Structure formats: C-alpha cells, structure tokens
Amino acid sequence: MTTTEVPTAGGSPEPVPTSAAGNPIGFGRMLRKEDARFLRGQGHYVDDVNLPGMLHGAVLRSSYAHARINAIDTSAAEAHPRVKAVITGKTLESLNLAWMPTLSGDVQSVLATDKVRFQGQEVAFVVADDEYAARDALELIEVDYEPLPAVVDARRALDPDAALVRDEVEGRTDNKIYDWEAGDAAACDEVFAKADVVVTEDMLYPRVHPAPMETCGAVAHMDKVTGKLTIWTTTQAPHAHRTLYAIVAGLPEHKIQVISPDIGGGFGNKVGIYPGYVCAIVGSIVTGAPVKWVEDRSENLMSTSFARDYHMKGSIAATRDGRILGLQVDVLADHGAFNGVAQPTKFPAGFFHIFTGSYDYPAAHCKVTAVYTNKAPGGVAYACSFRITEAVYLVERMVDCLAFELKMDPAELRMKNLLRPEQFPYTTPTGWEYDSGNYPRALEESMRIAGYEELRAEQAARRADPAGKPLMGIGISFFTEGVGAGPRKHMDILGLGMADGCELRLHPTGKAQLRLSVQTQGQGHETTFAQIVSHVLGIPPEDIEVLHGDTDNTPFGLGTYGSRSTPVSGAAAAVAAQRVRDKARVIAATALECSPDDLEWEHGRWRVKGDPEQGKTIQEIAFAAHGSLELPEGVEGHLDASVVYDPPNLTYPFGAYICVVDVDPDTGEVKVRRFVAVDDCGPRINPMVVEGQVHGGLADGLGMALMEVIAFDEDGNNLGGSFMDYLLPTSMECPSWELGQTVTPSPHHPIGTKGVGESATVGSPAAVVNAVLDALQIRAADMPFTPAAVWRALQGRPLRTDLAIE
Amino acid sequence: MQVPAPFDYRRAHSLDEAVALLERHGPDARLLAGGHSLLPMMKLRLARPETLVDINDLTELDYVRLDGDEIAIGALTRHATVLASALLAEHYPIFAEAEAVIADPLVRNRGTVGGSLCQADPAEDLSGVFAALRGRAVVHSSAENRSVALREFHRGPYETAVGDGEILVELRVPVRPGAGSAYEKVERRAGDWAVAAAGAFVQLRDGVVADVGIGLSAVGADHFTCPEAEDALRGQEPTAARIAEAAAICRDRCEPTADQRGPVDFKRHLAEVLVTRALTRASRRAGGAEA
Ligand SMILES: Cc1cc2nc3c(=O)[nH]c(=O)nc-3n(C[C@H](O)[C@H](O)[C@H](O)COP(=O)(O)OP(=O)(O)OC[C@H]3O[C@@H](n4cnc5c(N)ncnc54)[C@H](O)[C@@H]3O)c2cc1C
C-alpha cells in the first residue's frame, strides 16, 4: 500500500492509506470527482435544462435610474405572433406578487409598478416561443417614463434636498435605512483622548460585482395536474429558496422542488431570489408550460447582487512606540434602492463589527449608517463573509496608515500588536470569540517565504536613487476571518436558523451516499465531503457519492455562502460518519461476539484489542447490518445516520499576505511582482482544493484592488455593465502565487477544519493596496488602482473611484 | 443571452459577389469580417444591419507580402497573422508590438486588419499604426480600385472613407530601409482597449531624423496622428530634448475625452509619455542600438 502525505494539526504529515483508485482514504490531494464531467463539457447547468414545450422569458429593464412610470403599453408585444404572455407589475399586483420580501426585512419590487429605482430594474416580462422572439418583443413594449432626479452619490443621499428613493413607504421622508453601532464609544473616547497618536483616514471600498461565469437563471415548471412546482435555478441555497417561495407565493412547500444543478460560480451572487426567478414561475403558471429565463451578462452586472459600497472613516489611536489602543469607524453604507442584503437577521451590517481584526487592544467602536440610492440592491456578495472583507480592509489600511505616521515598518507594527497564541480563545472588544490561532507564526512564515528583509533592503536601495524606476512597494495584510454561520440561537436568515442537516447512508456493500443541504458552485464538495466521510470511516472517497442541490432528495439547510460549508455541513458530515462508526462498532461486536468496549478503531476497521487479526471492515459491517445477523436489543438494522449540526461558534481562519508591486510612476501602471499567501484554515481536507480556492480569491482581491469597480454617472447610469467596462483580472495580471500554510485546528469543529473559501478574497485586497501606496509613498487613496487612479494619487488629486471620471 | 435584432445573412464567395451583394442590399447591409466588433454591437442592438455579407471565404484577401517597395496586407488578414509575420517583424516591429496588446488570442485569431480599420473606433490600435507609417488603403467597388491615404481614411469616430457598395481590400505601407519603429500602449488590463497608445517610426540619415511618423490612438488625435510633432522632429537629431518637444506637441494637440479609462489630463500626459517612449525606441532601433 502506498501512502499519501497529509498535513495535520501539528503540521507534520501523517500518512494515510491510498485506495485502489489511487485516492487518499481520508485527507490529502486527489483530483476532483466533479472535474471528470466539467473537463469533458458534460456539466449540466440551468441553461442546459430543456423541457418539452418549454417557453422562454426575457425581462424588460429600466433605462433610467429613477423615473415614474406613467403607463406601460404591452399591446404591440402581445400581438407578436410568437409571444405567449406579457407580464407587468399590474399582472403581479393581482397575484399580490408585485413586491416580495428581501432577506433584510425590506421589500423589493418584482416588476415595477409605481416607478423604477435603478437602471436595469425589472419592468416587464415577456414569455415567447424562443428567446429571440422574447427579446424582439421587449422592444415592442412602450413605457412612458417621467425621469426623476437620481440619488447617485451615497454621500449626498441624506441631504435635505435629496430625491426620495422609497416614497412608496408611508411617512418616509429621507433615504436612511438604519443607524447601527457596536462596541464601546465611551471606552474609545477615553483611549483616544490619552493616545500619543491618532490617525484618521477616509476610505472607500467601492461597489464591485461577483460576476460569476454563469449568470443567473431559472427554468420553472408548474405542473397543473400534480400542482407541483419544479424550479431548476442558480441558487447557492436551494432549501432556503424553497421555503421562501412557499412563503412569498403561498405555494405549499411540499409541492415545491428546487433543483440547483451544476452552478458556474456563485460568490454570493446566487444567494437571494431575483425577480427573474419569480417571473419565470408566474410565466409558467400563466402559460401552463415550463418557462426558461437566463439573464445575459449585462443584466447580471447591472441588476443582481453587488458587493461592498462602504464609505468608511477610520480612526486609530496608538502610543508613540506603536501599541494600538483603539479603533473607531464610521461607515456610510450604500445599499441601493432596496435593502436586499443577504445576512443573518440580527446583523444589519453583517459581521462588519469584527473590524478590530487580528490585534490586541481594548477599545473599539463602529457606527454604520445605511442609505438608499438609485442603484441595484444587494450588498453582501463576492466572497465577503458577511462584510468581513470590508472590516479587514479597514483595519489593515488603518494599521498601515499608523505605520506611515509612526514611520515604522508595517510588519514590525503588526507583530507588536498581533494577538498571542496564549490569548485564545479570545473575546474581541466587539464580542466575537476567536476559537484558535497562532498569528505571529503565520506572519513570520509569510515574511520568511517573501524574504521580507531582502525585499525591504532592495526597496531602500532603489529609493536611494531618486530617478529609480519603477517604484517598488511592499504591502502586508493580516486577516482574521469568521466563517461557518452560524449558531442558530444567534443566526438566522428570515427566521431560518443556520444549522445544517446531513444524511449518510451505507449500502450493503459498504459504498455510501452522503446527502447535503449545501450547494457547490465550484468549491469541490463532491470530492471534499467524500474525503471527510472517508477520513472518519476509512471508505475510499470514490465509493462515496455526494448528493446535493435537489430539495426533494436532501435534508434542510441554509446553503453555501460565507465559507460555511465545511464549518457547518462539513461538521455535520463528520458527525454523521462518527455516528455510523459508533453503530458499526456495536454491529462488529455482535458479529465478533465480543463487547464493543473490546474493540478499537483502525482506519476502516473495528478490531479486537490485543488480537488485531480479529476484526471487521466497515464494508463487512455494512453487509452484516443489512444481513441476517441478529442485532442486540434496540439496535436497528442498516447503517446510516442523520444529523442536524448547530455550530457552537464560528470558525476563525486567518492568514498573512505579502504583496510586492512595481509601479511605473509615469504611466500609473501597477505590476504585481509577487504575492505570498500564508493561510491557516486548520487541517486541509484536500490541499489542492484549498490552494485552488486561495488562488481564485487572490485573483479576486487583486482584481478589486486594481481594476474592478461599478461606478455611476450623475444620472445614475451604470458604468460597469459589460466585461469591457467591468474588468476582471486575467492570468496576465496575476503573478505565480506563492502559498504557505500553518495549521491551527478549530477546537470546536469535530475534525478541526475551518472554512477557506473566502479567506483570500477577504485578505488580499488590503495587501495589494498597501503595496501600491507603499510604492507611491502616499498614506491613502482609493482602489481600484487603475493607471489613472495611480497617476492622480501621485499628483495629490486622487479620483473618486465610485463616480464617473470627468 | 444577448441576441441581435433579426437580420438576413449572405455569404460571399468572391470579391465581385461581395460587392454585388452590397449593391443589391443597399446601405443597410454590412460586411462581416472577423465579427469581433460588429457582432458585439449587434448583440447589444447598437448595430442593426438588415443584411450581413460574410466575406470570410475571400481568402484571397488574407496575405502579407512584399509588393515592389511596399508591403501589402490583405484586408482579411487576421490579427494573429500580422502578429506572427516575419516580413513585418523584419521591417516594422511596430506591428508585432501593437498586435501583442490588441485584445486576446481569441479575438486576434478572428479579427481582421480591414475590420479594425473600418470599425474606426477612436481607440483602434492598428489605425494608429497605419497612420504612423503613412500607409494607404485600397478601396474596391464595382467601378474602381481607389487608393486612400490612411491619414484621410478616417472621417470621424466610426466613420471612414469606405462608401456604400465599397470594400476595403488592402493596406499598403512603404518599405523604409533602416527605419526603426515601436509601439507603446497603456491599458487597464490585458485585453482592454487603450487608455492611450502611441506608435512611431524614425528614419535616420547621418544621425539626423530624415523621416518620422507618429500615430496616436484613444486620445482624440486628428486622423490618429500629429503632423506638427513630426515636423518638429524632422531634420533634427533625435535627442531626448527634441523628442520631448515633439511629445509635448502631441500632448497639446490631442483632444482626449474623459471616460472610465481616465480623465483628460491623464490621457494628455500619457500621450506625451508614450510618444516619448515610442520615438526613443524607434530612434534607437533606427540607429541600430536596439534589436
Ligand atoms: C474583447 C475585445 C477586445 C478588443 N481589444 C482591442 C484592442 O485592444 N485594440 C484594438 O485595436 N482592437 C480591439 N478589439 C477590436 C478588434 O481588434 C476588432 O474587433 C477587430 O479587429 C475588428 O475586426 P473584425 O474583422 O472583427 O471586424 P468586424 O467586426 O467583422 O467588422 C467591423 C466593421 O468593419 C466593417 N468591415 C469589416 N471588414 C471590412 C472591409 N474589408 N471593408 C469594409 N468594411 C469592413 C464591418 O462591416 C463592420 O462595420 C477588441 C475586440 C474585442 C472583442
């Protein structure tokens, strides 16, 4: 038997056996099971669903950011020979569906009735024989708009003369959604008053978009005979969607089947329910035929869930020798036209108040004011861990601003303030309980890989030459993530507690099926969850089928976002496997005619202590469990387990990132020379999958730091509505990522693992931005650092990156 | 999916047939070459030709060859072919340098030289290249073959000298022995259109600039060039100061517009920086100091 190396808690590899197919029986590198179909072009996405008699829908969208609708004339579209139905807000009003609840206690328009509130908003829905006719018919709909002044600049949204975005709400006189705060303002005042140094800085985390490769869509089929609605749809949370459809549309939940087939990327874009899905359902109800609706790229970028849009003002207080004393932040959050943020109910600003970061200081306070603007709704998406991205950006920028003021090396400043290993579990000033960590070790490791001292020496040498070009910058970011939402007593979405079900069933021959509530969008669940079961039960991963994405065939759970799959459903799978192993012990004892206490577990087998020849493999036990073996009183046959896992806490992965850039001061071009990422997500189930997640997240972070932004002109026109305008990074911009790791298991997770899906997206933007600003030797300027933004920053006239460039 | 408005499709099998189809279907017919400008615009319904005349079968328009003392490039030559052309690399490295930063390999495999010039996007790179080299365009109709100087080819954004029933068939560039050339572009990301771009050729005689051409893209330069800057450099030694002077003229003469790629002051600044760099490298190549 060959062995595969696997990093374990202590960091030393523990050999695990390899299966006949060459896979690790448990943790370790193996090719992704799902790739066999993806690489052959055999994936099956929503747009691949084709049903007999299926019709096609298209959405008419508003060209205005803000306009009253005086009238909609659909007669010409209805007269189109291939059009089957035209649905407007009026049609929906009659079904009480013109508005639907958002995930944040607001309502949002499905099809506009009174006015449109952002460019790209849904106004009408055409159902036709094919998508060409549907699109042609959109042009035949006449909407009489009366343009209104648009609220574009979030910083002006609360001006007394600002237009009112939500005038349909009785008694509303301004655009404020909420004021919310966390932490201790008085404690902050106290430390700020006596601090040697206080640095205050404004910064914008601009509106960006998750831009998954596959856009959103649905195929809805209401079967009039059975009364059952089946909807194939791009959702990261099939079960939550089913319940929401039941609540919103008043359909019986057992008559709704949500199928989320292969999903081409989510990043938070596919958490909520979009008007197009509801329209497809209504279209199917109205026509009696299945209706497919798949949005195009511009529709995805302009109307679906964006991310960030946080205008932040931070103040950091410290002693002259660099001990941080406190951090205070005011946030102006642009939520767009409807408060459609997807996050646990009790957390209106998501987990932003984890902004104290990875450092040890007593005082912290944040105040968040959210406003309506004439922009698309959304706000928690793009791998952000419920706004920890914004929080990490804030603290990591503020620490760099402090280093700038103190003329101190940013690595030294961080090292001085990082939480020490002995402080864990650590309760932060705003109430988060970090489960485990060894932060200095991770920072040291990243500095070792980067050759930090040599880099600083090179930089000093270059700076000594005043004509020296390009400008070299080194940026650091240390992040603490909080993932795996979450403990049900604290965390719910629309009243649904965030615990996950899981069912594990062994077949008589010892092959297994694992049914999950979470939904992979590319993360590799079909592989890693099989490895979790394999790790606990010793069954080869290829013998374990992972089933997910169909509400009729999987247990309830809240879905995949916020890096919650491994911390929550992964724990559920591990516990289910442990229960099966426990039951297998009893059955093995019966078969071996001994006491369960006499047995000990070796990988994949219960054996008699002191007589290792005597034992039963898990496969033998599975057969016996289904066979004629007489089982003890109270022990049922078969071998399966069903679990609902309620996580006791979040898990807190962390990492240290170092970015090296070269900036051409004459053209403003930034080249990322190196990027070192040391991640600690506990033990790695499949290191290759972890690295893939980290690679993707680093590219995301680099993209946001250097090119991604959805800006708006003064009329509220979206300036990022295509991939020529909304720039995603390519391999040309990405360096060869240099990855490292430390391994600190979570003490409360059954197999010690922490989520990693968003770590790199959360942690990397600040490293790139800090590197660029270090190169420019400027304290602050806003991303994205396009050539123009860099050049203007160098000139001391930084751009407002969220507005049209003039 | 973005889908275009309804249209009719015809495939031409010869140049004559293409012209005949254009004549038959009138001004609402459009030629389809690589389709990498036209089809995206049709999908967004910004372009709505009633008939597409596909000329991709006219392989006789796909060539790069020496023709007397000129290099001739067929209108249907793909970007990828230009990028790989040994003939162009020998005479004018500006082509490969520009092509390497036009779009991405997928677009370059389909997009054509003719389509690029006829699209007449103000940021089209090849327009700047041909303007720098003072090339000529050969425009064909059923009546005649006429030759138009590249610097008179563009009539404004998205407008060219190619009229109804006409086809651009060839681009011609004079061979200039010993000339050096170079291309410089700043983009926000690989595959993006230029924030600003500049190309140049320089011919030296006795250490003095005998001839020079400057091309500018994406900065609102009249006809993608700046003759005043060329005049300032012609007859001078290509010193840093002289080049800086010419570049400053380009900066002042161009008329960029602000967009999400950058504000006007930045684009002007880039015009200056990139012209400086292009002229410097082109002169060095002309002087034989750089390969
Ligand atoms: C993602 C992307 C990025 C790009 N980036 C760049 C870039 O950075 N720099 C750059 O310069 N270009 C860029 N382009 C444009 C690309 O180079 C051009 O689209 C392409 O080369 C145009 O050529 P085509 O053969 O595709 O033309 P088509 O799209 O087929 O045609 C364009 C226009 O020219 C007309 N036409 C075509 N051939 C002829 C002819 N022989 N006679 C008369 N009229 C004709 C057509 O009728 C149409 O109006 C990019 C394109 C894409 C899709």
Side-chain angles (χ1 to χ4, degrees):
Chain A
M1 198 181 271
T2 54
T3 58
T4 309
E5 295 215 329
V6 35
T8 56
S12 63
E14 172 191 301
V16 304
T18 302
S19 74
N23 294 320
I25 302 180
F27 294 175
R29 288 174 194 275
M30 65 176 272
L31 296 181
R32 301 198 321 170
K33 297 168 80 174
E34 42 270 80
D35 286 345
R37 67 176 186 279
F38 292 143
L39 294 176
R40 289 175 172 86
Q42 302 286 310
H44 194 251
Y45 299 88
V46 167
D47 206 19
D48 296 320
V49 175
N50 287 306
L51 305 177
M54 188 175 78
L55 302 174
H56 295 261
V59 173
L60 179 72
R61 295 180 181 276
S62 164
S63 45
Y64 291 100
H66 200 192
R68 194 154 299 286
I69 297 177
N70 290 329
I72 303 179
D73 182 354
T74 58
S75 52
E78 277 158 11
H80 189 292
R82 302 178 68 75
V83 167
K84 293 289 185 275
V86 180
I87 295 161
T88 64
K90 269 219 176 77
T91 330
L92 296 183
E93 262 174 344
S94 66
L95 300 165
N96 205 17
L97 277 178
W99 294 79
M100 65 178 177
T102 69
L103 297 177
S104 289
D106 195 359
V107 289
Q108 94 176 71
S109 167
V110 177
L111 292 176
T113 48
D114 52 343
K115 61 179 189 174
V116 289
R117 292 173 175 78
F118 65 92
Q119 191 189 40
Q121 188 181 335
E122 300 78 2
V123 176
F125 189 72
V126 171
V127 183
D129 287 336
D130 56 65
E131 53 195 314
Y132 302 96
R135 290 267 170 165
D136 289 347
L138 293 184
E139 300 191 327
L140 301 174
I141 299 173
E142 275 186 40
V143 186
D144 176 6
Y145 290 112
E146 179 188 324
L148 300 168
V151 183
V152 176
D153 184 349
R155 298 177 198 175
R156 306 244 73 97
L158 297 178
D159 284 0
D161 60 345
L164 201 55
V165 178
R166 299 298 296 278
D167 55 350
E168 91 285 1
V169 182
E170 194 92 25
R172 193 167 245 302
T173 55
D174 65 17
N175 292 316
K176 186 179 286 188
I177 304 175
Y178 65 74
D179 282 318
W180 181 82
E181 59 187 311
D184 187 339
C188 262
D189 289 346
E190 212 169 290
V191 302
F192 274 72
K194 58 172 203 262
D196 299 338
V197 189
V198 172
V199 182
T200 299
E201 197 58 79
D202 281 308
M203 67 192 75
L204 169 67
Y205 206 134
R207 180 175 280 238
V208 292
H209 198 279
M213 185 110 77
E214 177 201 31
T215 60
C216 299
V219 176
H221 180 31
M222 172 59 100
D223 186 323
K224 287 228 159 109
V225 178
T226 60
K228 182 160 182 171
L229 169 70
T230 307
I231 173 160
W232 290 259
T233 184
T234 47
T235 174
Q236 300 176 224
H239 290 276
H241 274 213
R242 180 181 58 185
T243 303
L244 274 174
Y245 289 131
I247 293 169
V248 173
L251 298 167
E253 196 168 359
H254 66 297
K255 294 284 191 186
I256 305 174
Q257 181 179 12
V258 175
I259 300 174
S260 183
D262 284 329
I263 299 293
F267 312 104
N269 189 235
K270 294 169 180 166
V271 174
I273 289 183
Y274 293 119
Y277 304 166
V278 178
C279 287
I281 294 171
V282 174
S284 180
I285 292 172
V286 169
T287 61
V291 172
K292 177 189 281 187
W293 166 76
V294 179
E295 69 189 2
D296 65 36
R297 179 61 59 194
S298 293
E299 294 181 285
N300 181 257
L301 285 167
M302 290 175 67
S303 71
T304 65
S305 201
F306 70 96
R308 330 282 193 255
D309 221 341
Y310 258 33
H311 300 251
M312 304 182 275
K313 184 194 230 20
S315 292
I316 191 165
T319 60
R320 176 67 47 206
D321 64 351
R323 274 227 73 83
I324 301 173
L325 302 172
L327 184 59
Q328 200 279 326
V329 50
D330 279 332
V331 178
L332 178 66
D334 185 340
H335 282 216
F338 309 104
N339 188 18
V341 177
Q343 63 208 354
T345 310
K346 290 174 196 155
F347 300 81
F351 297 167
F352 180 76
H353 56 302
I354 201 168
F355 68 89
T356 57
S358 314
Y359 309 103
D360 181 17
Y361 51 88
H365 178 250
C366 74
K367 204 166 122 310
V368 181
T369 298
V371 295
Y372 289 120
T373 59
N374 288 115
K375 301 177 189 171
V380 168
Y382 207 169
C384 77
S385 294
F386 302 118
R387 304 237 190 243
I388 297 180
T389 321
E390 289 92 322
V392 165
Y393 185 72
L394 183 272
V395 62
E396 290 306 298
R397 283 292 305 119
M398 289 313 298
V399 169
D400 254 42
C401 290
L402 178 63
F404 189 94
E405 279 316 299
L406 296 174
K407 300 191 173 43
M408 200 167 162
D409 184 286
E412 186 191 339
L413 179 60
R414 284 181 172 81
M415 200 56 100
K416 191 165 196 155
N417 289 282
L418 281 178
L419 291 164
R420 319 300 303 177
E422 60 276 12
Q423 289 176 277
F424 291 87
Y426 172 81
T427 303
T428 74
T430 51
W432 301 90
E433 192 190 302
Y434 293 176
D435 56 350
S436 62
N438 187 338
Y439 293 178
R441 180 173 68 165
L443 182 55
E444 276 160 18
E445 178 66 0
S446 68
M447 292 169 71
R448 184 191 66 75
I449 297 172
Y452 188 75
E453 298 306 325
E454 297 85 62
L455 286 170
R456 284 290 177 204
E458 180 192 343
Q459 184 182 46
R462 283 163 172 260
R463 283 185 180 168
D465 172 7
K469 290 175 194 171
L471 309 176
M472 175 182 174
I474 304 162
I476 303 175
S477 167
F478 197 103
F479 68 92
T480 300
E481 256 270 62
V483 301
R488 64 193 298 172
K489 67 174 186 284
H490 301 305
M491 294 181 191
D492 69 273
I493 287 186
L494 278 187
L496 301 169
M498 299 185 81
D500 282 359
C502 169
E503 292 165 9
L504 176 62
R505 177 172 308 159
L506 265 63
H507 298 312
T509 56
K511 316 291 184 196
Q513 279 186 331
L514 180 72
R515 293 169 197 275
L516 299 173
S517 63
V518 288
Q519 167 60 32
T520 178
Q521 310 120 43
Q523 293 91 338
H525 290 175
E526 289 165 39
T527 308
T528 52
F529 279 78
Q531 290 186 266
I532 291 173
V533 172
S534 178
H535 170 78
V536 178
L537 284 180
I539 300 173
E542 63 268 23
D543 289 350
I544 303 159
E545 183 84 348
V546 174
L547 300 168
H548 59 98
D550 179 345
T551 54
D552 272 9
N553 293 312
T554 55
F556 188 86
L558 267 272
T560 293
Y561 42 84
S563 300
R564 64 187 297 281
S565 292
T566 299
V568 188
S569 275
V575 171
Q578 283 163 358
R579 286 193 192 159
V580 162
R581 195 170 73 185
D582 291 345
K583 183 173 173 184
R585 181 182 202 163
V586 176
I587 295 167
T590 309
L592 292 164
E593 297 179 352
C594 66
S595 156
D597 293 340
D598 295 337
L599 298 178
E600 63 185 1
W601 179 254
E602 75 170 327
H603 211 62
R605 184 168 174 265
W606 283 110
R607 67 178 178 202
V608 177
K609 288 178 194 164
D611 188 4
E613 294 301 300
Q614 291 292 316
K616 294 278 178 203
T617 66
I618 190 76
Q619 289 82 1
E620 289 165 341
I621 299 167
F623 205 88
H626 290 82
S628 54
L629 177 71
E630 199 168 322
L631 298 171
E633 192 88 25
V635 178
E636 291 177 345
H638 302 180
L639 199 50
D640 46 38
S642 162
V643 169
V644 176
Y645 188 80
D646 180 18
N649 187 5
L650 302 182
T651 66
Y652 294 86
F654 57 93
Y657 291 175
I658 298 179
C659 177
V660 184
V661 299
D662 291 304
V663 178
D664 181 336
D666 297 320
T667 62
E669 291 166 299
V670 176
K671 182 169 171 44
V672 177
R673 189 204 301 182
R674 291 181 63 196
F675 200 106
V676 173
V678 172
D679 270 282
D680 191 326
C681 55
R684 297 184 172 202
I685 297 162
N686 183 329
M688 181 196 74
V689 169
V690 171
E691 287 159 14
Q693 294 287 297
V694 172
H695 282 191
L698 294 177
D700 281 343
L702 180 150
M704 287 182 280
L706 299 183
M707 61 193 79
E708 292 181 41
V709 63
I710 294 194
F712 291 82
D713 72 12
E714 59 185 13
D715 296 324
N717 292 310
N718 186 316
L719 303 177
S722 82
F723 276 164
M724 292 305 284
D725 305 298
Y726 190 78
L727 301 178
L728 295 174
T730 72
S731 59
M732 301 292 284
E733 285 75 40
C734 295
S736 184
W737 312 112
E738 299 170 66
L739 306 191
Q741 64 166 324
T742 60
V743 181
T744 313
S746 169
H748 65 74
H749 188 284
I751 50 173
T753 53
K754 302 179 175 187
V756 76
E758 299 163 314
S759 285
T761 318
V762 167
S764 59
V768 181
V769 169
N770 285 341
V772 172
L773 291 169
D774 182 51
L776 306 185
Q777 295 180 264
I778 287 175
R779 197 173 87 179
D782 288 326
M783 58 182 166
F785 283 105
T786 59
V790 168
W791 185 73
R792 286 288 287 263
L794 260 176
Q795 301 231 318
R797 300 182 298 138
L799 290 171
R800 258 300 280 275
T801 53
D802 56 335
L803 302 179
I805 294 178
E806 289 178 346
Chain B
M1 186 172 80
Q2 284 159 341
V3 296
F7 63 91
D8 204 10
Y9 174 86
R10 294 278 179 273
R11 201 169 175 96
H13 301 92
S14 69
L15 189 55
D16 289 345
E17 189 185 355
V19 172
L21 284 167
L22 285 181
E23 285 174 348
R24 180 162 355 127
H25 293 280
D28 289 326
R30 290 281 277 277
L31 292 175
L32 176 69
H36 271 291
S37 288
L38 185 53
L39 298 185
M41 293 208 313
M42 286 173 62
K43 289 206 290 183
L44 294 169
R45 301 195 175 208
L46 296 171
R48 298 169 165 259
E50 282 175 9
T51 308
L52 282 187
V53 177
D54 187 338
I55 55 171
N56 280 281
D57 281 348
L58 307 191
T59 46
E60 65 269 32
L61 296 184
D62 180 358
Y63 56 84
V64 180
R65 65 181 172 230
L66 201 57
D67 187 357
D69 54 2
E70 289 184 324
I71 297 172
I73 304 174
L76 207 66
T77 308
R78 313 282 166 183
H79 288 300
T81 308
V82 175
L83 178 60
S85 163
L87 181 68
L88 288 171
E90 181 193 337
H91 293 277
Y92 286 119
I94 184 176
F95 275 103
E97 287 185 3
E99 286 290 2
V101 289
I102 290 177
D104 51 55
L106 278 75
V107 173
R108 293 199 293 262
N109 284 340
R110 293 291 299 168
T112 65
V113 173
S116 293
L117 291 177
C118 292
Q119 180 62 26
D121 187 295
E124 205 84 54
D125 289 290
L126 287 185
S127 299
V129 171
F130 282 107
L133 299 181
R134 276 189 229 106
R136 298 190 72 81
V138 181
V139 179
H140 174 88
S141 67
S142 54
E144 59 168 353
N145 256 5
R146 62 194 176 95
S147 164
V148 183
L150 236 298
R151 292 183 178 193
E152 286 161 20
F153 184 79
H154 293 101
R155 299 283 156 88
Y158 312 102
E159 276 178 56
T160 69
V162 181
D164 291 344
E166 289 191 319
I167 298 181
L168 171 65
V169 290
E170 188 179 80
L171 286 309
R172 300 183 73 85
V173 175
V175 170
R176 298 184 176 93
S181 65
Y183 197 75
E184 293 278 344
K185 173 176 177 177
V186 169
E187 51 190 6
R188 294 174 300 177
R189 187 207 64 189
D192 187 25
W193 293 78
V195 181
F201 85 84
V202 171
Q203 245 183 330
L204 296 178
R205 203 166 299 130
D206 306 326
V208 164
V209 174
D211 198 5
V212 54
I214 295 173
L216 287 157
S217 279
V219 290
D222 214 14
H223 292 291
F224 293 89
T225 186
C226 184
E228 299 84 351
E230 295 169 347
D231 293 344
L233 201 56
R234 209 176 283 108
Q236 310 289 340
E237 272 179 51
T239 59
R242 292 289 185 197
I243 286 174
E245 202 177 299
I249 295 172
C250 293
R251 176 198 64 206
D252 296 339
R253 288 289 167 135
C254 67
E255 293 285 349
T257 48
D259 58 18
Q260 291 312 94
R261 291 191 174 79
V264 169
D265 57 356
F266 177 55
K267 292 186 180 183
R268 278 188 192 284
H269 164 81
L270 278 186
E272 181 175 15
V273 171
L274 299 183
V275 167
T276 304
R277 291 184 180 180
L279 283 172
T280 307
R281 289 202 297 118
S283 321
R284 256 193 239 142
R285 283 176 174 162
E290 192 188 325

